Amino acid sequence: MYITATALALLLMGCRSDKTQYYEKHLVFPEGATIEQKVDMASRLVPSRQQLQWQELELTAFLHFGINTFTNREWGDGKEDPKLFNPTQLDAEQWARTLKEAGFKMVILTAKHHDGFCLWPTKTTSHSVASSLWKEGKGDVVKELKEACDKYDLKFGVYLSPWDRNAACYGDSPKYNDFFIQQLTELLTHYGEIHEVWFDGACGEGPNGKKQIYDWDAFYTTIQKLQPNAVMAIMGDDVRWVGNEKGLGRETEWSATALVPGVYQRADSVNKALGLSSTSKDLGSRELLARANELFWYPSEVDVSIRPGWFYHAAEDQQVKSLARLVDIYFESVGYNSVLLLNIPPDTRGLIHENDVRRLRELREYIERTFATDYSLNGNRKITGREGDSFEIDIQDNVPVNTLMLQENIAEGQRIEAFTVEASVNGAWNTIAEGTTVGYKRLVRFDSLIADKLRITITRTRADFSLNRVGLYYAQPLIEGVNASTATILLPKSCRIGDQNAPRAIDGNQTTAAYADGLTDLIFDLGEAKSLKGFCYTPVAEGNTEGTIFRYNLYRSNDCKNWEPVAENTEFSNIKNNPIPQFVPLENVAATRYLRLQPLEEINGKAKTSIAEFGVIP
């Protein structure tokens, strides 16, 4: 909703019964507005009806399923034979039933990933299920899942990759945009109500060597026309990517943000001037308000996979995230004013794997058990106040608590900027936690204690605050288990980057790393010739990630002089957003003593090379 500066200046003109002026989804500050005026207006920026309903979902499931499931890859190249797609037991009801029982409210399916393979019988290309062996080419995964979601009362969304490595017209921008809109139209007209359309911004060169220029305006006009109630995510202006694929939200998470959604033409210039990106730690502070000309209600979605990869890989069956890790993710996403989008990839049978089902059941049981009993005696009520006000929560006698839930009334804006929590134990008050933003939901964890009452002080706020709910709970502490891979990883005897020894690349410690200037070859000595099933390259995941290898060549040798190619112009798919160990299978490789990893491209196009660990699978 776009409002002129003149209209915004009329602050007393109200759109609600209390005559307060609210700004739905977007506001533009009047020229010359003071910081005090900006803070006041920011406090009255509110979500659209669709955004509010989306936020209330809390848990959404992502299903990465497609041709990659059958090629054991994360990103396909579009050259796959559609006949490879042949799930033998595909059961969309098993997917929907599993997710419903696990507490999810919506399911998003990768209707088309970057490889261009379509999970519905599209009229736009033969690269689809219509050319597969599955159901003799008469199947439709999108239809089966939508019907299953309807049966189990789950909302349904689609991921449609703009990047298409199969489409011959990709790179011919007008022609491909028409092609893409045809696909989008099919999805939005053939399957009933769609609740979320999920685009990422992936973009590459087409077969003609030209980079595709997406017509986002046309894409979104299509969505608004065909599915006006759907939220548009990531490259849309309804839902924002949190900035990582680790399942981590920000402790200070503003839904009212100065970050301009990427679909707007001004996004790059405005965000650059403000020093903002999806990964910025600060997206809505007063310091930003002082420099910003506009604000968006643009809430955060936290995406992460239950496994290391996004598509199913049998080698990861024993690497499903532990319950302790998933609980941390829940607290640091839903509990940090975000919606959690958890990926659960169906396997080659067309089923959610038993290990994933088991872990989802454990997560549901843990969340239900934790929040089944509210130990506050007077928290389930509306609480209002001004900056500096405190309120007390009485607690049931002699029960331990360690989790506080705060929920702002975001229908009237996000206003709380800072708060403190004190506990009264035997009549003495002690500070046990401090926090910043609240938003739709904030979960505050602290050491378990038995107290008479808690006192929450709202130390800083943009306007009078309004809390819909305060709750007090006990979350059973969990100990992180070790998710060991079934694969045996053998470390080389030595490693060199260029002419330098690089022992940190093979020390078995992923927190240490080796670096080099330039795209520099890495040579590994296994000590003796060995038969290999694969290798593992581990990028730097935290700190200085410069030099992470994206595309590479791999060579083998037994004398370190004569080299034979093993893999050429190959990529570590999605490594920039998901910097996890990259397991690469090797087939028909003769016994080898030396391996040479030759970087061709760094994730950001820089002339750097880095590695945290390297190992081989004998």
Side-chain angles (χ1 to χ4, degrees):
M1 174 175 174
Y2 294 88
I3 306 173
T4 65
T6 301
L8 286 179
L10 302 177
L11 299 180
L12 296 179
M13 290 185 61
C15 59
R16 302 192 182 190
S17 59
D18 62 1
K19 302 303 181 182
T20 300
Q21 174 74 47
Y22 290 95
Y23 312 104
E24 183 178 296
K25 198 173 176 180
H26 178 240
L27 70 81
V28 178
F29 294 123
E31 186 175 352
T34 65
I35 183 60
E36 291 77 17
Q37 291 171 323
K38 288 183 174 184
V39 169
D40 175 60
M41 293 171 68
S43 74
R44 290 177 281 114
L45 178 63
V46 297
S48 67
R49 175 180 57 85
Q50 293 96 324
Q51 288 176 314
L52 181 57
Q53 291 174 344
W54 173 86
Q55 187 87 54
E56 291 170 343
L57 297 176
E58 297 192 5
L59 286 175
T60 301
F62 220 166
L63 296 179
H64 273 63
F65 186 65
I67 199 73
N68 292 340
T69 308
F70 299 88
T71 60
N72 202 31
R73 301 179 69 180
E74 284 288 285
W75 282 4
D77 58 16
K79 300 175 183 178
E80 299 84 3
D81 184 348
K83 291 183 173 58
L84 292 172
F85 183 87
N86 191 23
T88 55
Q89 303 176 50
L90 193 146
D91 185 352
E93 287 200 13
Q94 187 252 3
W95 304 355
R97 183 174 60 254
T98 297
L99 297 172
K100 180 71 174 182
E101 292 174 352
F104 291 87
K105 306 294 178 57
M106 180 160 65
V107 178
I108 298 175
L109 175 69
T110 55
K112 183 187 79 169
H113 205 257
H114 308 327
D115 48 74
F117 183 82
C118 298
L119 292 182
W120 77 102
T122 176
K123 294 180 180 179
T124 62
T125 177
S126 61
H127 200 54
S128 78
V129 289
S131 300
S132 73
L133 297 177
W134 177 60
K135 293 192 172 182
E136 298 179 339
K138 298 177 182 179
D140 186 337
V141 181
V142 177
K143 179 182 179 181
E144 292 194 16
L145 181 56
K146 179 60 167 68
E147 291 176 348
C149 286
D150 289 345
K151 178 177 179 178
Y152 287 93
D153 193 26
L154 289 165
K155 295 184 183 296
F156 181 66
V158 292
Y159 167 106
L160 186 68
S161 172
W163 188 23
D164 191 318
R165 304 177 84 172
N166 175 266
C169 60
Y170 189 87
D172 182 340
S173 293
K175 190 172 182 179
Y176 177 75
N177 287 331
D178 288 343
F179 171 91
F180 186 78
I181 289 172
Q182 289 180 54
Q183 293 187 334
L184 188 59
T185 299
E186 289 177 351
L187 289 172
L188 301 186
T189 56
H190 295 172
Y191 302 99
E193 186 172 9
I194 304 296
H195 298 91
E196 183 168 342
V197 180
W198 208 99
F199 293 150
D200 57 29
C203 184
E205 291 183 353
N208 57 9
K210 295 181 179 179
K211 187 173 183 178
Q212 174 70 30
I213 299 174
Y214 301 131
D215 189 348
W216 293 113
D217 288 342
F219 299 167
Y220 287 114
T221 298
T222 302
I223 298 170
Q224 290 163 344
K225 176 183 177 181
L226 300 176
Q227 295 285 345
N229 293 321
V231 294
M232 299 180 291
I234 313 309
M235 286 304 293
D237 62 355
D238 289 313
V239 176
R240 164 173 56 86
W241 180 48
V242 72
N244 65 75
E245 294 183 355
K246 301 176 183 178
L248 302 177
R250 298 170 180 79
E251 290 189 54
T252 301
E253 191 66 77
W254 284 106
S255 296
T257 170
L259 181 74
V260 179
V263 294
Y264 297 139
Q265 291 184 355
R266 65 186 183 279
D268 287 345
S269 59
V270 174
N271 291 335
K272 183 177 180 180
L274 293 173
L276 291 181
S277 71
S278 297
T279 61
S280 298
K281 292 183 179 180
D282 174 16
L283 294 176
S285 69
R286 293 192 182 210
E287 187 275 332
L288 266 180
L289 295 188
R291 296 187 290 117
N293 295 321
E294 59 184 332
L295 284 186
F296 295 84
W297 188 274
Y298 198 27
S300 162
E301 182 179 70
V302 175
D303 61 329
V304 66
S305 184
I306 197 170
R307 291 162 170 253
W310 286 85
F311 284 89
Y312 174 81
H313 308 290
E316 295 177 356
D317 284 348
Q318 305 305 317
Q319 299 182 60
V320 177
K321 286 182 171 58
S322 68
L323 176 61
R325 184 71 201 103
L326 289 177
V327 167
D328 282 343
I329 286 171
Y330 177 84
F331 274 90
E332 295 176 20
S333 56
V334 175
Y336 279 176
N337 186 38
S338 299
V339 167
L340 173 58
L341 177 60
L342 181 63
N343 180 63
I344 305 104
D347 61 23
T348 52
R349 298 171 299 176
L351 300 174
I352 295 178
H353 192 274
E354 295 83 351
N355 293 354
D356 304 60
V357 172
R358 186 181 309 112
R359 193 55 38 80
L360 290 173
R361 186 179 299 120
E362 292 173 354
L363 178 63
R364 172 64 183 266
E365 291 172 352
Y366 182 91
I367 292 173
E368 283 190 339
R369 183 170 63 251
T370 297
F371 297 101
T373 304
D374 181 357
Y375 294 108
S376 70
L377 297 176
N378 58 341
N380 190 8
R381 59 190 169 97
K382 187 172 183 177
I383 301 173
T384 60
R386 298 180 176 181
E387 181 173 288
D389 283 355
S390 299
F391 57 91
E392 295 182 0
I393 300 298
D394 296 325
I395 309 174
Q396 292 183 27
D397 291 339
N398 299 315
V399 295
V401 292
N402 59 11
T403 301
L404 172 68
M405 180 178 72
L406 301 172
Q407 288 195 271
E408 245 181 302
N409 179 16
I410 61 172
E412 296 180 358
Q414 185 182 6
R415 301 181 174 185
I416 296 174
E417 294 178 299
F419 63 91
T420 60
V421 183
E422 299 169 280
S424 173
V425 180
N426 298 324
W429 289 99
N430 294 291
T431 300
I432 60 172
E434 295 179 342
T436 52
T437 50
V438 174
Y440 172 74
K441 179 175 283 188
R442 182 64 183 264
L443 297 174
V444 184
R445 294 190 281 186
F446 49 87
D447 292 339
S448 299
L449 55 80
I450 296 176
D452 307 316
K453 59 182 64 180
L454 293 189
R455 181 166 64 202
I456 295 96
T457 303
I458 307 302
T459 57
R460 194 161 177 83
T461 182
R462 293 184 168 177
D464 292 356
F465 66 86
S466 177
L467 293 168
N468 281 337
R469 174 80 187 273
V470 177
L472 198 53
Y473 308 92
Y474 180 75
Q476 181 69 41
L478 295 171
I479 299 174
E480 176 66 76
V482 177
N483 286 313
S485 169
T486 56
T488 299
I489 303 297
L490 178 69
L491 298 177
K493 299 298 183 182
S494 67
C495 170
R496 297 180 67 83
I497 298 183
D499 58 359
Q500 301 293 320
N501 289 324
R504 291 187 173 183
I506 53 171
D507 61 1
N509 184 352
Q510 295 184 13
T511 65
T512 63
Y515 296 87
D517 291 328
L519 295 175
T520 307
D521 288 8
L522 298 104
I523 296 178
F524 304 94
D525 181 2
L526 306 183
E528 61 183 7
K530 298 180 182 296
S531 298
L532 304 179
K533 293 174 62 177
F535 75 93
C536 177
Y537 165 74
T538 301
V540 179
E542 301 288 348
N544 181 11
T545 61
E546 284 190 351
T548 298
I549 300 169
F550 173 51
R551 287 193 307 110
Y552 66 91
N553 293 330
L554 182 70
Y555 301 93
R556 62 165 295 276
S557 174
N558 279 322
D559 59 10
C560 208
K561 296 178 181 179
N562 300 298
W563 296 94
E564 298 177 359
V566 175
E568 294 183 288
N569 199 23
T570 306
E571 63 187 33
F572 295 122
S573 301
N574 202 28
I575 193 171
K576 180 176 181 179
N577 293 325
N578 196 24
I580 61 173
Q582 305 289 310
F583 288 88
V584 179
L586 300 176
E587 296 182 359
N588 302 318
V589 177
T592 297
R593 174 171 176 174
Y594 299 96
L595 290 174
R596 188 173 96 225
L597 184 64
Q598 181 182 55
L600 300 177
E601 183 180 345
E602 192 258 6
I603 53 171
N604 293 311
K606 296 184 177 181
K608 300 280 186 179
T609 302
S610 66
I611 181 172
E613 277 302 305
F614 186 91
V616 295
I617 305 171

